[in-house]
Amino acid sequence: MTKLSFEDLRGKVCVLTGGAGVIGTSMARGLASVGVRTAIVDLNADAAAALAASIQSEFGVQTIGVGASVLDKDSLLEAKKVINEKLGKIQLLINGAGGNSPQATTAVEQMTPGSLDDLSKTFYGLGMDGFQKVFDLNFKGTLLPTMVFTQDMLEAGTGSVLNISSMNSYRPLTKIPAYSAAKASINNFTQWLAVHLAQTGIRVNAVAPGFFLTNQNRFLLTDEKTGEATPRGRNIIHNTPMKKYGEPEDLNGAMLYLLSDISAFVTGIIIPVDGGYSAFGGV
Ligand code: NAD
């Protein structure tokens, strides 16, 4: 029996979108730790370049930063050219760009009879712009890079795609209807594309992170002045059986497993990385 390892990943070329973000940064480091050569593709070209340089010097693994928008197919095609020139053919893709917007967030968690006095704080006060923005970033921002960056995999007859979903896709959190629905669409698309591509050699899977304290949600979950958990933050910990937030590195095991040939017969699955949140009935 062959010894199992992530050795098959060494030297492979991975595109990581949204790679300069909190989770992306941790994933990029996890990839370099097993020798994957990564193109960090991000709207923030400077941050992507700086991160790539620091990873390359720390791990001695070729890593590049490329500025592009996951919402603009031409910029992705340009990015692919640069990646092909500098790193070679693309074998792995992580669709990491995503997130919520305050424009698509209700001020109140639930409506009460009193809410009728000020509908602006409820579902009825949300504008279509916010919904559009969040659906675009999460859904279209996964769709377009997948069309562009799996072309090399199609030619090679092998490859692995990893999408980033969220616990919100199964049980929507209050206040963020667009983000929750957009992440549910990622689960559905992951399954659809896995089936569509199953005979091409390209596998498509996802991870569904639970709750991680990041810049995006820190203001909702901890009090800026005292550093104490807000009621919403306490609720999350209460509903997470491990009684803590995840650390971004906690995603790396599931990430490497799904990218590597170790999971060669696995496609169309979504792995929760959530401290038991999805298993807990709340009582
Ligand atoms: P983040 O905001 O720290 O990083 C997102 C990155 O995407 C940023 O570097 C940003 O510049 C980049 N980006 C934004 N728009 C872009 C575009 N149009 N084109 C290219 N890049 C773009 O977010 P994060 O917390 O690291 O989240 C990463 C992923 O994980 C997202 O899909 C998010 O929805 C998901 N997620 C996060 C959590 C969490 O607790 N933080 C939980 C579940 C899922």
Side-chain angles (χ1 to χ4, degrees), residues 18 20-24 41-44 68-71 96-99 137-138 164-166 179 183 209-212 214 216-217:
V22 175
I23 287 175
V41 174
D42 202 286
L43 203 52
N44 188 338
S69 170
V70 292
L71 303 178
L137 179 57
N138 292 281
I164 315 277
S165 178
S166 162
Y179 182 71
K183 288 301 190 186
F211 297 94
F212 294 71
T214 59
Q216 234 179 81
N217 59 22

Side-chain angles (χ1 to χ4, degrees), residues 12 95 98 106 117 145 157 163 222 264:
K12 280 198 174 153
N95 285 308
T106 62
D117 297 336
N163 295 328
T222 52

Side-chain angles (χ1 to χ4, degrees), residues 10 32 38 50 57 95 114 139 168 186 205 214 218 253 256 258-259:
R10 187 168 301 283
T38 300
S57 83
N95 285 308
F139 187 65
N168 280 283
I186 293 298
N205 293 290
T214 59
R218 196 177 303 273
L256 294 177
L258 290 171
L259 291 180

Side-chain angles (χ1 to χ4, degrees), residues 134-241:
V134 173
F135 262 84
D136 278 356
L137 179 57
N138 292 281
F139 187 65
K140 190 174 160 194
T142 292
L143 200 64
L144 279 181
T146 304
M147 274 181 186
V148 172
F149 295 126
T150 57
Q151 292 287 333
D152 292 347
M153 303 181 202
L154 212 49
E155 282 166 24
T158 179
S160 183
V161 177
L162 182 67
N163 295 328
I164 315 277
S165 178
S166 162
M167 270 304 120
N168 280 283
S169 67
Y170 301 106
R171 289 200 292 156
L173 246 63
T174 54
K175 292 186 164 186
I176 50 174
Y179 182 71
S180 302
K183 288 301 190 186
S185 78
I186 293 298
N187 294 2
N188 193 280
F189 176 61
T190 298
Q191 294 178 314
W192 184 87
L193 193 64
V195 171
H196 192 67
L197 296 180
Q199 295 180 50
T200 68
I202 303 174
R203 298 183 297 111
V204 186
N205 293 290
V207 287
F211 297 94
F212 294 71
L213 204 52
T214 59
N215 294 335
Q216 234 179 81
N217 59 22
R218 196 177 303 273
F219 74 102
L220 281 172
L221 305 181
T222 52
D223 187 294
E224 226 177 301
K225 287 189 194 115
T226 62
E228 303 259 305
T230 59
R232 194 173 174 87
R234 281 201 295 277
N235 242 338
I236 284 173
I237 297 298
H238 180 70
N239 283 289
T240 301

